[in-house]
Amino acid sequence: MSIITTVNRNLGDILVQAGLITPEQLENALALQKEKGGEVGQVLVEQNLITAQELASLTGLQWNIPYIDVTQQRIQPEAMKLIPEEMARKYNVVPLEIADGALVVAMEQPWNIETIGDLTMQARMTIRPMLAVAADVQEAINLNYKVSSELEEQLSHISLTTAAQAKMDERVSSDVIAQAPIVRSVSLIVGQAVKDRASDIHIEPHEDKLRIRYRIDGILHDAMSLPMSIHLPLTSRLKIMAGMNIADRRRPQDGQFSLKVEGKEVDIRVASSDTVQGETIVLRILDKSFALFELEQLGFSLGTLERYRQVLNSPFGMILLSGPTGSGKTTTLYASVNQLNHNERNIMTIEDPVEYRFNNITQIQVNPRAGITFASGLRALMRLDPDVILVGEIRDSETARIAVQAALTGHMVLSSIHANDAVGVLFRLIDLGVEPFLVSSALVGVVAQRMVRRVCPHCRQLTPASEEEQIIYEREMAEKRTEFYTGAGCNTCANTGYHGRSAVLELMVMSEQLRHLVMSDARADIIRNKAIEEGMVPAWRDGMLKVKEGTTTPYELLRNVYSIT
């Protein structure tokens, strides 16, 4: 690509000279621009002839202004403090760093003199503008501007006398709970969690502070620390929103509410429990986009995915998923159900709780007070002519026996169960009182899974490995390696080095040989070796293959997956 620095050069000519588009494509784009308006560069992006990054890079050459990829940058907190969030959103700019006495700012329109003038007055220093993709700037604003300062301002409006009195009396009056600052504070805490891709919010009282933590990609991170005087008004507000009893602070409670965050409805599940320091509350953020994952997005290798699809195509039988809490079992179950034909099959579920709601699927919520348990609900489903039954979890003997009977009477049953690995599921069912011959007859496949964090694709780089990491890799993969991909930390991953998660799993497909071993009361290691011989890739090896391809790190594998040798 030739380097062009002439400011007055037409952007279309630059794109043609750079070889990104042809003269004919430029003519068509100019015709569309004349018809619909807008800029020719944006027309070319909408036609997928060039990317937004290529457009920004060459626009920078046209104006002789450097282009910067905001997603690759570490943003200095000191720089963020110089430009308030309201101004950053107004002009779609994000401050990056302070260098040589100037504030480096990524901008959508760095040639706008009025904007630079306003930023100069606000920051009281020279502005060094850099050109960036508008969407990347917007994302950087969402990720980096935290709510702490605004939250402190909102909480300062709450009467300290009222809060102190509430703490002394262990009750909060309705007027305090309804105060605008408390309402706004809840919105800020939840809104920041959604921006940070958090799955849970932990509100934990301590002796001298109220600790707020977010669980992001399976790991808890400190988000903010608030004064203890706000504890009772805040928890009471959350309990009212979730339909819980605010007067009862001793017994565990749960509830649910919805909140609009950045224009979209977010479902929040709330659970509370009393502790020695006061009532703690955990909010589970239910993002419906997670429930719409395809199987290809979950972490299945190509070979394992093909075998799992064959298992799903079975006309009847039972498919079980195992793993600890938070290992993605529900997500995999939902993705599996989504693969089935909804029009030709009656798909019904019994769940506790119903986290995500689907069209064309009948879902039942467990309700012990109404006499609806997994066992009774499953027994009721059997009378409603289902083709596919999803049972949220097999927890007891009665549920296990009914699920097995359903699988043996022409139904496809999908469920989850707690076990350490795929083979362990067999023995867990037997422990629950299901006869070995019924287990071997009903089961068609078992998936055991764990979740590992993905290395951020924007900042990943080869890093020297520790001696332990080298040893475990060489032992499993029979090759020596001294470097692995890790994330350096960037704007996209909030400097964690990880972005998103992937499943590490093993799939055991029940064959005639495996069924015979189960009925003959064979040891777990014999069954496991036979499953591996027939094509099962153990979870530990599946994880190592993901380390090899740079998806995750040895540290993540050691933290989440057991090595069974």
Side-chain angles (χ1 to χ4, degrees):
M1 183 187 296
S2 57
I3 301 299
I4 308 165
T5 57
T6 306
V7 173
N8 295 323
R9 188 69 180 270
N10 182 276
L11 178 61
D13 294 338
I14 296 176
L15 291 167
V16 172
Q17 184 179 338
L20 294 174
I21 61 173
T22 65
E24 292 76 16
Q25 289 171 330
L26 176 60
E27 273 188 47
N28 292 335
L30 289 171
L32 280 173
Q33 179 198 24
K34 188 176 181 180
E35 178 184 341
K36 298 181 178 180
E39 298 180 358
V40 66
Q42 194 57 43
V43 172
L44 291 166
V45 171
E46 290 171 359
Q47 292 183 314
N48 294 319
L49 296 174
I50 60 173
T51 66
Q53 288 72 24
E54 289 170 338
L55 174 62
S57 178
L58 290 175
T59 302
L61 290 175
Q62 181 192 22
W63 288 88
N64 199 23
I65 296 174
Y67 163 74
I68 190 168
D69 185 353
V70 178
T71 63
Q72 303 286 335
Q73 302 301 309
R74 285 178 176 268
I75 296 180
Q76 292 181 354
E78 296 78 12
M80 300 290 296
K81 293 176 181 177
L82 295 176
I83 304 296
E85 181 179 0
E86 184 179 357
M87 177 175 280
R89 293 191 181 280
K90 177 182 177 182
Y91 295 122
N92 201 29
V93 303
V94 61
L96 301 177
E97 62 177 348
I98 300 171
D100 301 326
L103 179 62
V104 181
V105 179
M107 307 174 62
E108 178 185 356
Q109 297 181 333
W111 48 82
N112 190 316
I113 297 176
E114 290 185 8
T115 297
I116 293 176
D118 288 350
L119 294 174
T120 301
M121 291 182 63
Q122 175 65 39
R124 296 185 179 180
M125 65 170 56
T126 303
I127 301 297
R128 187 185 301 168
M130 310 283 277
L131 180 64
V133 175
D136 291 346
V137 173
Q138 183 66 49
E139 183 68 16
I141 293 172
N142 292 337
L143 285 171
N144 289 278
Y145 276 99
K146 303 298 181 181
V147 302
S148 302
S149 57
E150 185 179 353
L151 188 59
E152 289 177 5
E153 181 183 350
Q154 293 294 332
L155 297 180
S156 68
H157 295 306
I158 299 174
S159 169
L160 293 178
T161 303
T162 304
Q165 184 65 40
K167 183 177 181 181
M168 183 183 300
D169 296 341
E170 290 202 356
R171 63 178 182 271
V172 186
S173 61
S174 58
D175 61 327
V176 174
I177 298 170
Q179 281 185 27
I182 284 291
V183 176
R184 178 61 179 156
S185 297
V186 170
S187 297
L188 290 171
I189 291 170
V190 175
Q192 185 64 57
V194 172
K195 288 180 184 179
D196 290 349
R197 301 180 297 108
S199 61
D200 301 86
I201 304 172
H202 289 242
I203 301 175
E204 305 165 340
H206 292 271
E207 193 170 328
D208 57 345
K209 65 180 179 180
L210 185 63
R211 187 186 192 191
I212 310 292
R213 293 196 290 173
Y214 296 157
R215 187 178 294 280
I216 304 171
D217 293 333
I219 300 295
L220 281 170
H221 300 268
D222 281 317
M224 59 194 76
S225 181
L226 304 177
M228 270 300 291
S229 60
I230 204 63
H231 175 229
L232 286 173
L234 185 63
T235 55
S236 296
R237 174 64 189 174
L238 286 168
K239 291 172 74 173
I240 284 179
M241 294 173 70
M244 297 156 66
N245 183 358
I246 66 169
D248 190 349
R249 301 186 178 277
R250 302 300 180 187
R251 291 186 300 175
Q253 297 185 63
D254 59 79
Q256 191 164 341
F257 67 89
S258 295
L259 193 67
K260 185 164 284 189
V261 179
E262 295 184 350
K264 67 175 182 179
E265 284 292 320
V266 177
D267 292 332
I268 312 289
R269 198 169 76 216
V270 185
S272 70
S273 182
D274 190 37
T275 72
V276 294
Q277 299 290 350
E279 199 169 22
T280 186
I281 286 187
V282 175
L283 311 180
R284 168 66 58 88
I285 300 172
L286 304 176
D287 189 339
K288 293 184 179 180
S289 64
F290 292 156
L292 301 178
F293 276 149
E294 300 291 336
L295 287 172
E296 295 86 351
Q297 299 173 276
L298 299 181
F300 282 90
S301 64
L302 290 178
T304 302
L305 179 60
E306 182 59 32
R307 297 184 75 209
Y308 186 61
R309 287 190 188 281
Q310 292 174 5
V311 171
L312 279 177
N313 287 331
S314 302
F316 58 86
M318 185 159 63
I319 300 173
L320 292 181
L321 278 81
S322 71
T325 302
S327 61
K329 298 188 297 296
T330 301
T331 301
T332 304
L333 284 173
Y334 282 153
S336 301
V337 167
N338 278 333
Q339 296 291 303
L340 304 175
N341 190 316
H342 294 189
N343 294 324
E344 296 179 357
R345 295 176 176 177
N346 179 20
I347 302 176
M348 308 188 76
T349 76
I350 175 76
E351 305 171 64
D352 183 25
V354 175
E355 294 189 357
Y356 305 100
R357 297 182 182 179
F358 293 90
N359 294 325
N360 304 319
I361 293 179
T362 303
Q363 296 173 274
I364 297 175
Q365 167 74 54
V366 166
N367 186 353
R369 291 181 180 178
I372 303 175
T373 63
F374 277 119
S376 64
L378 182 53
R379 193 179 289 109
L381 286 183
M382 295 284 287
R383 297 190 289 269
L384 299 175
D385 188 31
D387 297 298
V388 179
I389 302 172
L390 189 155
V391 183
E393 185 179 349
I394 293 177
R395 299 175 180 173
D396 52 58
S397 300
E398 187 179 8
T399 306
R401 286 195 295 269
I402 298 172
V404 167
Q405 289 299 327
L408 291 173
T409 53
H411 303 88
M412 170 60 74
V413 179
L414 295 94
S415 187
S416 66
I417 191 169
H418 284 287
N420 287 333
D421 59 7
V423 175
V425 169
L426 305 173
F427 294 93
R428 175 62 178 151
L429 282 174
I430 294 171
D431 286 342
L432 288 173
V434 182
E435 295 293 337
F437 75 92
L438 292 177
V439 172
S440 63
S441 300
L443 272 179
V444 292
V446 179
V447 176
Q449 69 179 63
R450 299 288 192 276
M451 298 295 283
V452 293
R453 290 181 292 173
R454 291 178 178 270
V455 175
C456 177
H458 298 281
C459 63
R460 76 170 194 167
Q461 60 186 25
L462 284 171
T463 306
S466 67
E467 185 177 351
E468 180 185 11
E469 291 173 332
Q470 294 181 46
I471 291 172
I472 62 171
Y473 182 84
E474 185 176 0
R475 185 174 60 197
E476 179 62 40
M477 304 300 290
E479 63 180 37
K480 190 170 180 61
R481 186 165 172 179
T482 59
E483 292 182 323
F484 298 102
Y485 279 107
T486 61
C490 66
N491 176 48
T492 300
C493 64
N495 296 321
T496 63
Y498 297 96
H499 192 277
R501 293 196 290 171
S502 173
V504 171
L505 45 83
E506 59 187 27
L507 167 66
M508 182 175 66
V509 179
M510 296 300 292
S511 64
E512 288 305 316
Q513 291 83 355
L514 289 174
R515 297 182 202 278
H516 178 74
L517 289 173
V518 173
M519 287 189 291
S520 60
D521 198 25
R523 297 197 314 268
D525 61 323
I526 295 176
I527 298 175
R528 183 175 182 80
N529 290 336
K530 185 61 180 176
I532 293 173
E533 180 185 321
E534 293 182 351
M536 182 181 82
V537 178
W540 179 257
R541 183 167 183 83
D542 183 56
M544 275 300 176
L545 290 171
K546 287 178 170 61
V547 170
K548 182 176 183 178
E549 67 188 19
T551 300
T552 190
T553 63
Y555 166 77
E556 276 295 289
L557 202 60
L558 287 166
R559 191 175 66 84
N560 291 283
V561 184
Y562 293 110
S563 174
I564 300 177
T565 55

